[in-house]
Short mmCIF file of all heavy atoms in Angstrom, two decimals:
data_model
loop_
_atom_site.label_atom_id
_atom_site.label_comp_id
_atom_site.label_asym_id
_atom_site.label_seq_id
_atom_site.Cartn_x
_atom_site.Cartn_y
_atom_site.Cartn_z
N ALA A 218 -3.22 1.91 18.85
CA ALA A 218 -3.77 3.00 19.66
C ALA A 218 -4.91 3.76 19.00
O ALA A 218 -5.87 4.16 19.67
CB ALA A 218 -2.65 3.99 20.02
N GLN A 219 -4.86 3.96 17.69
CA GLN A 219 -5.77 4.90 17.05
C GLN A 219 -7.05 4.27 16.52
O GLN A 219 -8.14 4.80 16.73
CB GLN A 219 -5.06 5.62 15.90
CG GLN A 219 -5.89 6.74 15.29
CD GLN A 219 -5.11 7.57 14.29
OE1 GLN A 219 -3.97 7.24 13.97
NE2 GLN A 219 -5.70 8.64 13.81
N TRP A 220 -6.96 3.15 15.81
CA TRP A 220 -8.12 2.57 15.13
C TRP A 220 -8.38 1.15 15.61
O TRP A 220 -7.47 0.44 16.02
CB TRP A 220 -7.89 2.53 13.61
CG TRP A 220 -7.53 3.85 13.00
CD1 TRP A 220 -6.29 4.26 12.62
CD2 TRP A 220 -8.42 4.92 12.69
NE1 TRP A 220 -6.35 5.53 12.09
CE2 TRP A 220 -7.65 5.96 12.12
CE3 TRP A 220 -9.80 5.12 12.83
CZ2 TRP A 220 -8.21 7.16 11.70
CZ3 TRP A 220 -10.36 6.31 12.42
CH2 TRP A 220 -9.57 7.32 11.86
N THR A 221 -9.63 0.73 15.52
CA THR A 221 -9.97 -0.66 15.79
C THR A 221 -9.76 -1.48 14.52
O THR A 221 -9.58 -0.93 13.42
CB THR A 221 -11.44 -0.78 16.23
OG1 THR A 221 -12.29 -0.42 15.11
CG2 THR A 221 -11.74 0.13 17.41
N VAL A 222 -9.79 -2.79 14.66
CA VAL A 222 -9.62 -3.66 13.49
C VAL A 222 -10.76 -3.44 12.50
O VAL A 222 -10.54 -3.41 11.29
CB VAL A 222 -9.56 -5.14 13.93
CG1 VAL A 222 -9.54 -6.05 12.71
CG2 VAL A 222 -8.33 -5.39 14.79
N ASP A 223 -11.98 -3.27 13.01
CA ASP A 223 -13.12 -3.03 12.12
C ASP A 223 -12.94 -1.73 11.33
O ASP A 223 -13.24 -1.67 10.13
CB ASP A 223 -14.42 -2.99 12.92
CG ASP A 223 -14.83 -4.35 13.44
OD1 ASP A 223 -14.32 -5.36 12.90
OD2 ASP A 223 -15.62 -4.41 14.40
N GLU A 224 -12.48 -0.68 12.00
CA GLU A 224 -12.26 0.59 11.32
C GLU A 224 -11.15 0.47 10.28
O GLU A 224 -11.26 1.02 9.17
CB GLU A 224 -11.93 1.67 12.33
CG GLU A 224 -13.11 2.08 13.19
CD GLU A 224 -12.73 2.99 14.33
OE1 GLU A 224 -11.55 2.94 14.78
OE2 GLU A 224 -13.59 3.77 14.79
N LEU A 225 -10.09 -0.24 10.61
CA LEU A 225 -9.00 -0.45 9.65
C LEU A 225 -9.47 -1.29 8.46
O LEU A 225 -9.04 -1.06 7.33
CB LEU A 225 -7.82 -1.12 10.35
CG LEU A 225 -7.05 -0.25 11.34
CD1 LEU A 225 -6.06 -1.10 12.13
CD2 LEU A 225 -6.30 0.87 10.61
N THR A 226 -10.35 -2.23 8.72
CA THR A 226 -10.89 -3.05 7.63
C THR A 226 -11.69 -2.20 6.66
O THR A 226 -11.58 -2.35 5.44
CB THR A 226 -11.79 -4.17 8.21
OG1 THR A 226 -11.01 -5.00 9.08
CG2 THR A 226 -12.37 -5.02 7.08
N ARG A 227 -12.48 -1.29 7.21
CA ARG A 227 -13.25 -0.39 6.35
C ARG A 227 -12.33 0.53 5.55
O ARG A 227 -12.54 0.76 4.36
CB ARG A 227 -14.20 0.44 7.21
CG ARG A 227 -15.08 1.39 6.41
CD ARG A 227 -15.94 2.23 7.34
NE ARG A 227 -16.59 3.31 6.62
CZ ARG A 227 -17.21 4.33 7.19
NH1 ARG A 227 -17.26 4.40 8.51
NH2 ARG A 227 -17.77 5.28 6.48
N GLN A 228 -11.30 1.06 6.21
CA GLN A 228 -10.35 1.91 5.50
C GLN A 228 -9.62 1.15 4.40
O GLN A 228 -9.40 1.68 3.30
CB GLN A 228 -9.33 2.49 6.49
CG GLN A 228 -9.91 3.50 7.46
CD GLN A 228 -8.87 4.05 8.41
OE1 GLN A 228 -7.70 4.18 8.06
NE2 GLN A 228 -9.29 4.37 9.63
N ALA A 229 -9.23 -0.09 4.69
CA ALA A 229 -8.54 -0.90 3.68
C ALA A 229 -9.41 -1.11 2.45
O ALA A 229 -8.93 -1.08 1.31
CB ALA A 229 -8.13 -2.24 4.28
N ARG A 230 -10.71 -1.31 2.67
CA ARG A 230 -11.63 -1.47 1.55
C ARG A 230 -11.71 -0.20 0.72
O ARG A 230 -11.74 -0.25 -0.52
CB ARG A 230 -13.02 -1.86 2.07
CG ARG A 230 -14.03 -2.13 0.97
CD ARG A 230 -15.31 -2.71 1.51
NE ARG A 230 -16.00 -1.77 2.38
CZ ARG A 230 -16.09 -1.89 3.70
NH1 ARG A 230 -15.52 -2.92 4.30
NH2 ARG A 230 -16.74 -1.00 4.43
N LEU A 231 -11.72 0.95 1.38
CA LEU A 231 -11.75 2.22 0.66
C LEU A 231 -10.47 2.43 -0.14
O LEU A 231 -10.52 2.90 -1.29
CB LEU A 231 -11.95 3.38 1.64
CG LEU A 231 -13.30 3.41 2.37
CD1 LEU A 231 -13.33 4.56 3.39
CD2 LEU A 231 -14.46 3.55 1.39
N TYR A 232 -9.34 2.10 0.45
CA TYR A 232 -8.07 2.20 -0.29
C TYR A 232 -8.10 1.33 -1.54
O TYR A 232 -7.68 1.76 -2.63
CB TYR A 232 -6.90 1.78 0.60
CG TYR A 232 -6.33 2.88 1.47
CD1 TYR A 232 -6.45 2.84 2.85
CD2 TYR A 232 -5.64 3.95 0.90
CE1 TYR A 232 -5.92 3.84 3.66
CE2 TYR A 232 -5.10 4.95 1.69
CZ TYR A 232 -5.24 4.89 3.07
OH TYR A 232 -4.72 5.89 3.86
N ASP A 233 -8.58 0.10 -1.40
CA ASP A 233 -8.63 -0.82 -2.53
C ASP A 233 -9.53 -0.28 -3.64
O ASP A 233 -9.19 -0.36 -4.82
CB ASP A 233 -9.12 -2.19 -2.08
CG ASP A 233 -8.10 -2.92 -1.22
OD1 ASP A 233 -6.92 -2.54 -1.25
OD2 ASP A 233 -8.49 -3.87 -0.51
N GLU A 234 -10.68 0.26 -3.25
CA GLU A 234 -11.62 0.79 -4.25
C GLU A 234 -11.01 1.98 -5.00
O GLU A 234 -11.13 2.09 -6.22
CB GLU A 234 -12.92 1.21 -3.56
CG GLU A 234 -13.73 0.04 -3.00
CD GLU A 234 -14.94 0.51 -2.21
OE1 GLU A 234 -15.12 1.74 -2.08
OE2 GLU A 234 -15.70 -0.36 -1.72
N LEU A 235 -10.35 2.88 -4.28
CA LEU A 235 -9.75 4.04 -4.91
C LEU A 235 -8.57 3.66 -5.79
O LEU A 235 -8.39 4.21 -6.88
CB LEU A 235 -9.30 5.04 -3.84
CG LEU A 235 -10.43 5.79 -3.14
CD1 LEU A 235 -9.91 6.48 -1.87
CD2 LEU A 235 -11.05 6.82 -4.07
N ALA A 236 -7.77 2.71 -5.32
CA ALA A 236 -6.62 2.27 -6.12
C ALA A 236 -7.06 1.58 -7.40
O ALA A 236 -6.46 1.76 -8.46
CB ALA A 236 -5.74 1.33 -5.29
N ALA A 237 -8.15 0.80 -7.31
CA ALA A 237 -8.66 0.12 -8.49
C ALA A 237 -9.16 1.10 -9.54
O ALA A 237 -9.12 0.83 -10.74
CB ALA A 237 -9.77 -0.85 -8.10
N GLY A 238 -9.63 2.26 -9.09
CA GLY A 238 -10.15 3.26 -10.01
C GLY A 238 -9.12 4.25 -10.49
O GLY A 238 -9.46 5.18 -11.23
N SER A 239 -7.86 4.08 -10.10
CA SER A 239 -6.80 5.00 -10.51
C SER A 239 -5.64 4.21 -11.10
O SER A 239 -4.92 3.52 -10.36
CB SER A 239 -6.32 5.83 -9.31
OG SER A 239 -5.27 6.69 -9.70
N PRO A 240 -5.42 4.29 -12.41
CA PRO A 240 -4.34 3.52 -13.04
C PRO A 240 -2.95 3.98 -12.65
O PRO A 240 -1.97 3.28 -12.91
CB PRO A 240 -4.59 3.75 -14.54
CG PRO A 240 -5.35 5.03 -14.62
CD PRO A 240 -6.19 5.09 -13.38
N THR A 241 -2.83 5.15 -12.00
CA THR A 241 -1.51 5.65 -11.63
C THR A 241 -1.02 5.12 -10.29
O THR A 241 0.14 5.32 -9.93
CB THR A 241 -1.52 7.19 -11.57
OG1 THR A 241 -2.44 7.62 -10.56
CG2 THR A 241 -1.95 7.79 -12.90
N VAL A 242 -1.89 4.44 -9.54
CA VAL A 242 -1.51 3.93 -8.22
C VAL A 242 -0.85 2.56 -8.36
O VAL A 242 -1.39 1.66 -9.01
CB VAL A 242 -2.74 3.83 -7.30
CG1 VAL A 242 -2.35 3.21 -5.96
CG2 VAL A 242 -3.36 5.20 -7.08
N VAL A 243 0.32 2.43 -7.74
CA VAL A 243 1.04 1.15 -7.71
C VAL A 243 0.81 0.53 -6.34
O VAL A 243 1.19 1.12 -5.32
CB VAL A 243 2.54 1.35 -7.97
CG1 VAL A 243 3.28 0.03 -7.83
CG2 VAL A 243 2.77 1.95 -9.34
N THR A 244 0.20 -0.65 -6.30
CA THR A 244 -0.08 -1.33 -5.04
C THR A 244 1.01 -2.36 -4.76
O THR A 244 1.27 -3.24 -5.60
CB THR A 244 -1.45 -2.01 -5.07
OG1 THR A 244 -2.46 -1.03 -5.33
CG2 THR A 244 -1.75 -2.70 -3.75
N LEU A 245 1.64 -2.25 -3.60
CA LEU A 245 2.70 -3.19 -3.21
C LEU A 245 2.28 -3.94 -1.94
O LEU A 245 1.66 -3.35 -1.04
CB LEU A 245 4.01 -2.44 -2.95
CG LEU A 245 4.61 -1.67 -4.13
CD1 LEU A 245 5.92 -1.00 -3.72
CD2 LEU A 245 4.84 -2.58 -5.32
N ASP A 246 2.63 -5.20 -1.90
CA ASP A 246 2.32 -6.04 -0.75
C ASP A 246 3.31 -5.72 0.37
O ASP A 246 4.48 -6.11 0.31
CB ASP A 246 2.41 -7.51 -1.14
CG ASP A 246 2.01 -8.44 0.00
OD1 ASP A 246 1.62 -7.94 1.07
OD2 ASP A 246 2.11 -9.67 -0.17
N ALA A 247 2.83 -5.00 1.39
CA ALA A 247 3.71 -4.58 2.48
C ALA A 247 4.02 -5.72 3.44
O ALA A 247 4.82 -5.54 4.37
CB ALA A 247 3.08 -3.42 3.24
N ALA A 248 3.41 -6.90 3.24
CA ALA A 248 3.71 -8.05 4.09
C ALA A 248 4.98 -8.76 3.63
O ALA A 248 5.48 -9.63 4.34
CB ALA A 248 2.54 -9.02 4.08
N ARG A 249 5.49 -8.40 2.46
CA ARG A 249 6.73 -8.99 1.97
C ARG A 249 7.92 -8.50 2.80
O ARG A 249 7.79 -7.62 3.64
CB ARG A 249 6.95 -8.62 0.50
CG ARG A 249 5.92 -9.21 -0.45
CD ARG A 249 5.92 -8.46 -1.77
NE ARG A 249 7.26 -8.23 -2.28
CZ ARG A 249 7.56 -7.31 -3.19
NH1 ARG A 249 6.62 -6.52 -3.68
NH2 ARG A 249 8.80 -7.17 -3.61
N ASP A 250 9.09 -9.07 2.50
CA ASP A 250 10.30 -8.62 3.16
C ASP A 250 10.51 -7.13 2.89
O ASP A 250 10.47 -6.70 1.73
CB ASP A 250 11.50 -9.42 2.64
CG ASP A 250 12.79 -9.02 3.34
OD1 ASP A 250 13.07 -9.57 4.41
OD2 ASP A 250 13.50 -8.14 2.82
N PRO A 251 10.70 -6.31 3.93
CA PRO A 251 10.84 -4.86 3.73
C PRO A 251 11.95 -4.48 2.76
O PRO A 251 11.81 -3.50 2.02
CB PRO A 251 11.12 -4.34 5.14
CG PRO A 251 10.52 -5.36 6.05
CD PRO A 251 10.71 -6.67 5.36
N ASP A 252 13.03 -5.24 2.76
CA ASP A 252 14.13 -4.92 1.84
C ASP A 252 13.71 -5.14 0.39
O ASP A 252 14.11 -4.37 -0.50
CB ASP A 252 15.36 -5.77 2.17
CG ASP A 252 15.99 -5.39 3.51
OD1 ASP A 252 15.78 -4.24 3.95
OD2 ASP A 252 16.67 -6.25 4.12
N ASP A 253 12.92 -6.18 0.15
CA ASP A 253 12.43 -6.42 -1.22
C ASP A 253 11.50 -5.29 -1.66
O ASP A 253 11.56 -4.84 -2.81
CB ASP A 253 11.69 -7.76 -1.29
CG ASP A 253 12.62 -8.95 -1.12
OD1 ASP A 253 13.84 -8.78 -1.33
OD2 ASP A 253 12.13 -10.04 -0.77
N VAL A 254 10.64 -4.85 -0.77
CA VAL A 254 9.73 -3.75 -1.09
C VAL A 254 10.53 -2.48 -1.36
O VAL A 254 10.25 -1.74 -2.32
CB VAL A 254 8.73 -3.51 0.06
CG1 VAL A 254 7.84 -2.31 -0.24
CG2 VAL A 254 7.88 -4.76 0.29
N ALA A 255 11.56 -2.22 -0.54
CA ALA A 255 12.38 -1.02 -0.71
C ALA A 255 13.10 -1.05 -2.06
O ALA A 255 13.23 -0.01 -2.73
CB ALA A 255 13.39 -0.91 0.43
N ARG A 256 13.59 -2.22 -2.47
CA ARG A 256 14.27 -2.32 -3.76
C ARG A 256 13.31 -2.03 -4.92
O ARG A 256 13.69 -1.41 -5.91
CB ARG A 256 14.91 -3.70 -3.91
CG ARG A 256 16.23 -3.86 -3.18
CD ARG A 256 16.93 -5.14 -3.55
NE ARG A 256 16.27 -6.29 -2.95
CZ ARG A 256 16.60 -6.79 -1.76
NH1 ARG A 256 17.57 -6.22 -1.05
NH2 ARG A 256 15.98 -7.85 -1.27
N GLU A 257 12.07 -2.50 -4.80
CA GLU A 257 11.11 -2.24 -5.87
C GLU A 257 10.76 -0.76 -5.94
O GLU A 257 10.65 -0.19 -7.03
CB GLU A 257 9.85 -3.08 -5.65
CG GLU A 257 8.84 -2.93 -6.77
CD GLU A 257 7.71 -3.93 -6.71
OE1 GLU A 257 7.77 -4.85 -5.87
OE2 GLU A 257 6.74 -3.77 -7.50
N VAL A 258 10.60 -0.13 -4.77
CA VAL A 258 10.31 1.31 -4.76
C VAL A 258 11.48 2.08 -5.37
O VAL A 258 11.29 2.98 -6.19
CB VAL A 258 10.05 1.79 -3.32
CG1 VAL A 258 9.97 3.31 -3.26
CG2 VAL A 258 8.75 1.18 -2.78
N TRP A 259 12.69 1.72 -4.97
CA TRP A 259 13.87 2.42 -5.48
C TRP A 259 13.99 2.26 -7.00
O TRP A 259 14.35 3.22 -7.70
CB TRP A 259 15.13 1.90 -4.79
CG TRP A 259 16.39 2.42 -5.40
CD1 TRP A 259 17.33 1.72 -6.07
CD2 TRP A 259 16.84 3.78 -5.42
NE1 TRP A 259 18.34 2.54 -6.51
CE2 TRP A 259 18.06 3.82 -6.12
CE3 TRP A 259 16.31 4.97 -4.91
CZ2 TRP A 259 18.77 5.00 -6.32
CZ3 TRP A 259 17.01 6.14 -5.11
CH2 TRP A 259 18.23 6.15 -5.81
N ALA A 260 13.69 1.08 -7.51
CA ALA A 260 13.78 0.85 -8.96
C ALA A 260 12.81 1.76 -9.71
O ALA A 260 13.16 2.32 -10.76
CB ALA A 260 13.49 -0.61 -9.27
N ARG A 261 11.63 1.93 -9.17
CA ARG A 261 10.64 2.79 -9.84
C ARG A 261 11.04 4.26 -9.75
O ARG A 261 10.88 5.02 -10.72
CB ARG A 261 9.26 2.58 -9.21
CG ARG A 261 8.67 1.20 -9.49
CD ARG A 261 7.31 1.03 -8.83
NE ARG A 261 6.73 -0.28 -9.09
CZ ARG A 261 6.01 -0.59 -10.15
NH1 ARG A 261 5.76 0.34 -11.06
NH2 ARG A 261 5.51 -1.80 -10.33
N VAL A 262 11.55 4.68 -8.60
CA VAL A 262 11.98 6.07 -8.45
C VAL A 262 13.18 6.36 -9.34
O VAL A 262 13.27 7.42 -9.96
CB VAL A 262 12.31 6.37 -6.98
CG1 VAL A 262 12.91 7.77 -6.83
CG2 VAL A 262 11.05 6.26 -6.12
N ARG A 263 14.09 5.41 -9.45
CA ARG A 263 15.28 5.62 -10.28
C ARG A 263 14.91 5.77 -11.76
O ARG A 263 15.52 6.57 -12.47
CB ARG A 263 16.25 4.45 -10.10
CG ARG A 263 17.59 4.66 -10.79
CD ARG A 263 18.60 3.63 -10.38
NE ARG A 263 19.89 3.91 -10.99
CZ ARG A 263 20.99 3.22 -10.74
NH1 ARG A 263 20.95 2.19 -9.89
NH2 ARG A 263 22.13 3.53 -11.32
N LEU A 264 13.93 5.03 -12.19
CA LEU A 264 13.46 5.20 -13.58
C LEU A 264 12.96 6.61 -13.82
O LEU A 264 13.21 7.21 -14.87
CB LEU A 264 12.34 4.19 -13.89
CG LEU A 264 12.78 2.74 -14.14
CD1 LEU A 264 11.53 1.87 -14.31
CD2 LEU A 264 13.65 2.66 -15.38
#
């Protein structure tokens, strides 16, 4: 509803550029199984 594919593509590029310039950002592949992603997030928060 909100953005076109082209607009999302531009936003994704901006996210990648900002994440690459910040060592504190953890990038996770959201295309993976959601339960696997949730377990990785929980492991980091638990630490």
